[in-house]
Amino acid sequence: MKNMTLQNIAACLDSPLYNGEGKEAFEITGADLDSRKIEAGYLFFATRGERVDGHSFIPQAAQKGTALVVCEKAPDVDIPYILVEDSFQALKQVASFYRQQLTIPVVGVTGSAGKTSTKEIIAAALSGKFCVLKTAGNYNNEVGVPLTILRIRDEHEAAVVEMGINHFGEMERLTAIVRPDIAVITNIGQCHLENLGDRDGVLKAKTAIFQGLPENGRAVLNGDDDKLATVSEVRGRKPVFFSRNAAAGNETAVSAEDRNKEAQAWNAGMPDDGLTTSSNLGIQPEVCLEKVLDSDLFGSRFVMNVFGERVEAFVPLPGEHMVTNALAAAAVGHLLGLTAEEIVNGIASVRAVDGRSHIIRKGDMTVIDDCYNANPVSMKSAIDLLMSAKGRKTAILGDMFELGEEELAMHADVGAYAAQAGVDRLICIGQLSQAIYEGWEKAEGSDDQIGAETVREGEKAGSLGKSGVFYFPDKESFFRSFVPADFAENTVLAKASHGMEFQEIVDWIIE
C-alpha cells in the first residue's frame, strides 16, 4: 500500500512506534479490525466493542503475521505497535492519510434511498473501462467507510464508496476521509427524521459531502428531486443533473414556484461550504431518460440521452426505478471519460445484492427480497416493483425506523399506497406497522370494523379481514398463522427496516 510504512502510520497518528526497530520502512499490505481477516503484512486495529474487546485477539493476529497493531493498551506479545487513545478514531486517521496517497478517481454516493443500487450500477458502468473497488455489504458508516478506503490496492483504477449517515456531522467526517472527486446524491427523502428533523435537515446533512470535493470535483444530482433541483453551483461549478422527467435541455417537472420556495428556505440556513442554491426557472439535465421500452422483474430496457448522445441500454435489476440509478451511472461514466458503449456494457453487467430488490424464484413462487432497509420512498418504489409482476401479489411490510414525530402518518401513507396500487394481500408486521394496516383499511373504505385486531394464535390465516389485509405485532405471531404454502403462486415482497430482521421471513418462505 503506497507510502503506508510503519513510520508514516505512526506519524499520521502522532504517536511513537514501539518494537519497530529496523521495520520502520515496511509497507503494510492491508488493514482490518477483524482478526479473522488479518493476513501476513496487515495492520490490525484492536478496537473495543460493546461485547468484544479486540485487544484479546492481538495474539491471534500476531500468529497470522500482522505487521503492526494499533491499540489502546500495550500488547503482551512482541510485535510492532502504536498506542492511541481511541482505535476507532485512529482507523479514520489512517484511512484519511492513505486516501491522500491515492491518485485514482473516487466516487462518493449518498442519498435517502437507492444508495446501494446506485453504487452497484456506477461500479458496473465504470468496470467497462476500469478495475473498480466498491463498497462491500453495508460498509457505509464511520467504520465501514475507512475500511473500504483501506481496501484499495495498486490494481484498482477507480473506487465507488457508499456513504450513509443518520446524524448531523457524520457526513463531514466521512467526506474528510473519502475526499470524493465526484459526489452523487440519489434523492432527499424522509429518512432519519428522528435525528435530522425534516427534509431540509436531510438536505443539509447529505450535501455536506460537497465539502470534500476538490476544486475540479463534480456533483452529480437527481434533477427530479425538488430539494436537489435548487442547487445551482457546487465549488464554483454547475452540478451535473440526471432526470427521467425531461428531454435534454428542457425543464424538469419541478415548478418555478416550488423552486423559489425551496431555494429561499435553504439559503436562509446554508453554511458557507461552497454550495449555492438558486430559484432558476428550470434545470437542464445532462443525462435524461427519453423512453422506457419495457420493464419487468428482470430489468428495464430504455433509451437515454447522455450529454447529447442518444443511447439504448438495459439494466438487469428489477423495477423501473433502477433506470434512474442507471442515469446517474451514465453521468459518472461520462465524466470519467467512458464511451457510450463502455457505459452501456457496464450497466448491463450489474447484479443484484441480497436484500436489495433481489429476485428469488422457488417453484411457482417469486420472492422480492428487499428487506435490508426501508423508508417511505423506498417502500413505495418496492410496491411499484411488486405491481409489475404477473399474477397474485402479496406484500409483507414491516416497521420503518427513525422517521421522527410523523412516523405513524408515514406508515399509514404506505398502507394507503399499497391499497391504491392494487396489492392483492398485505401483511403488516411490527408495532409501527399497525398504522400501515390502518392506512390500507382507510383507503379501502372497509366496513369490516376490524380495526387493529391481530390474527389470533391458531387461527387459520385468511379468516380475518375480507379486504385482504392482516396485522401482526411481531414475526412470531405471523409464523404461527401462516405456512409457506400460503404463498404458492404468489409474487411476495418482503420489506422493512434492517432492525426488523425480515431476512428470517424470506428464508422461511423459500426454505
Side-chain angles (χ1 to χ4, degrees):
M1 298 175 68
K2 185 179 180 180
N3 292 333
M4 294 296 283
T5 63
L6 272 56
Q7 62 183 5
N8 283 347
I9 294 171
C12 89
L13 294 174
D14 194 23
S15 184
L17 172 66
Y18 296 96
N19 289 345
E21 294 81 3
K23 301 177 182 177
E24 295 88 349
F26 179 84
E27 284 187 343
I28 63 170
T29 57
D32 214 300
L33 49 73
D34 186 340
S35 61
R36 295 168 297 183
K37 298 179 181 179
I38 292 298
E39 299 177 13
Y42 268 43
L43 161 58
F44 175 55
F45 291 93
T47 56
R48 300 180 190 270
E50 294 181 1
R51 292 175 291 181
V52 179
D53 185 348
H55 292 78
S56 62
F57 295 96
I58 292 177
Q60 289 92 320
Q63 290 178 356
K64 291 185 173 183
T66 188
L68 176 66
V69 175
V70 170
C71 48
E72 298 170 14
K73 63 180 181 180
D76 296 328
V77 295
D78 184 17
I79 191 171
Y81 69 95
I82 299 172
L83 281 179
V84 296
E85 292 185 3
D86 185 337
S87 295
F88 283 113
Q89 178 60 31
L91 170 65
K92 299 175 191 177
Q93 290 176 245
V94 171
S96 180
F97 171 74
Y98 182 51
R99 172 66 182 96
Q100 296 174 52
Q101 316 309 309
L102 302 173
T103 58
I104 66 172
V106 176
V107 181
V109 182
T110 192
S112 296
K115 291 186 297 295
T116 298
S117 298
T118 302
K119 175 258 299 182
E120 292 291 326
I121 300 176
I122 291 174
L126 296 185
S127 68
K129 181 176 182 179
F130 302 117
C131 175
V132 181
L133 183 283
K134 64 181 179 181
T135 298
N138 62 344
Y139 277 36
N140 66 358
N141 58 20
E142 290 193 63
V143 174
V145 166
L147 287 174
T148 297
I149 294 296
L150 290 169
R151 288 177 51 226
I152 298 174
R153 297 292 182 269
D154 291 344
E155 66 267 22
H156 293 127
E157 300 168 307
V160 185
V161 183
E162 182 179 337
M163 303 164 70
I165 64 167
N166 54 27
H167 287 80
F168 287 113
E170 285 182 310
M171 184 59 76
E172 287 87 342
R173 294 190 291 272
L174 291 182
T175 198
I177 298 169
V178 177
R179 293 181 177 87
D181 298 287
I182 298 175
V184 180
I185 305 183
T186 60
N187 47 53
I188 302 298
Q190 297 168 316
C191 66
H192 309 306
L193 300 184
E194 186 177 83
N195 305 316
L196 302 179
D198 55 20
R199 288 184 67 224
D200 285 326
V202 176
L203 177 66
K204 183 177 181 179
K206 298 289 186 182
T207 52
I209 192 175
F210 300 149
Q211 296 180 21
L213 287 173
E215 289 186 4
N216 62 343
R218 301 302 300 269
V220 175
L221 309 178
N222 185 349
D224 300 329
D225 185 280
D226 60 334
K227 301 292 183 181
L228 294 174
T230 66
V231 179
S232 61
E233 188 176 287
V234 176
R235 294 292 184 219
R237 305 185 72 175
K238 178 184 177 297
V240 171
F241 284 104
F242 58 94
S243 170
R244 60 180 301 137
N245 291 330
N250 295 332
E251 294 185 10
T252 67
V254 181
S255 70
E257 180 181 0
D258 288 343
R259 206 178 298 280
N260 271 308
K261 290 179 180 178
E262 299 300 341
Q264 292 168 5
W266 178 237
N267 283 323
M270 185 62 209
D272 184 16
D273 63 357
L275 174 65
T276 302
T277 58
S278 170
S279 57
N280 292 338
L281 294 180
I283 64 169
Q284 293 184 327
E286 286 76 8
V287 179
C288 64
L289 173 67
E290 290 195 357
K291 184 178 182 181
V292 174
L293 301 177
D294 56 71
S295 181
D296 57 27
L297 287 180
F298 303 99
S300 299
R301 190 170 300 281
F302 59 99
V303 177
M304 59 180 169
N305 190 301
V306 182
F307 287 81
E309 183 175 0
R310 195 169 185 269
V311 181
E312 183 175 326
F314 175 72
V315 55
L317 295 179
E320 196 173 310
H321 61 286
M322 290 297 177
V323 172
T324 302
N325 302 337
L327 298 177
V332 172
H334 181 89
L335 290 176
L336 291 180
L338 274 71
T339 65
E341 182 180 5
E342 289 171 333
I343 292 171
V344 168
N345 290 341
I347 290 174
S349 71
V350 69
R351 295 294 177 264
V353 177
D354 287 350
R356 311 277 188 158
S357 298
H358 181 209
I359 305 299
I360 305 170
R361 299 295 297 269
K362 184 69 178 291
D364 59 3
M365 178 173 54
T366 300
V367 177
I368 304 174
D369 172 11
D370 200 3
C371 58
Y372 180 78
N373 219 333
N375 59 52
V377 173
S378 64
M379 275 283 199
K380 293 177 181 179
S381 292
I383 291 169
D384 291 341
L385 171 59
L386 174 65
M387 296 311 298
S388 71
K390 298 179 180 179
R392 183 170 171 80
K393 305 167 187 66
T394 294
I396 306 176
L397 306 182
D399 293 355
M400 300 176 287
F401 298 145
E402 298 182 1
L403 294 182
E405 296 179 357
E406 299 298 318
E407 61 183 6
L408 294 181
M410 294 178 188
H411 281 78
D413 185 50
V414 167
Y417 192 86
Q420 294 161 0
V423 172
D424 296 301
R425 178 170 53 179
L426 175 65
I427 298 171
C428 312
I429 303 174
Q431 298 301 315
L432 297 174
S433 292
Q434 177 175 324
I436 298 179
Y437 173 95
E438 293 171 348
W440 169 294
E441 287 287 286
K442 184 176 180 179
E444 286 281 281
S446 174
D447 296 325
D448 295 335
Q449 300 299 319
I450 298 171
E453 184 181 357
T454 64
V455 175
R456 295 180 292 275
E457 183 175 357
E459 186 173 11
K460 175 62 181 174
S463 62
L464 178 64
K466 296 179 182 179
S467 61
V469 60
F470 303 90
Y471 169 68
F472 302 93
D474 49 48
K475 296 194 297 290
E476 289 69 27
S477 55
F478 163 74
F479 289 136
R480 288 194 297 267
S481 299
F482 279 89
V483 296
D486 291 324
F487 301 97
E489 299 183 358
N490 273 238
T491 296
V492 183
L493 166 67
K495 188 166 182 65
S497 282
H498 189 60
M500 291 295 291
E501 298 181 350
F502 263 32
Q503 191 62 48
E504 294 179 20
I505 294 177
V506 172
D507 294 342
W508 173 80
I509 292 175
I510 64 176
E511 292 179 3

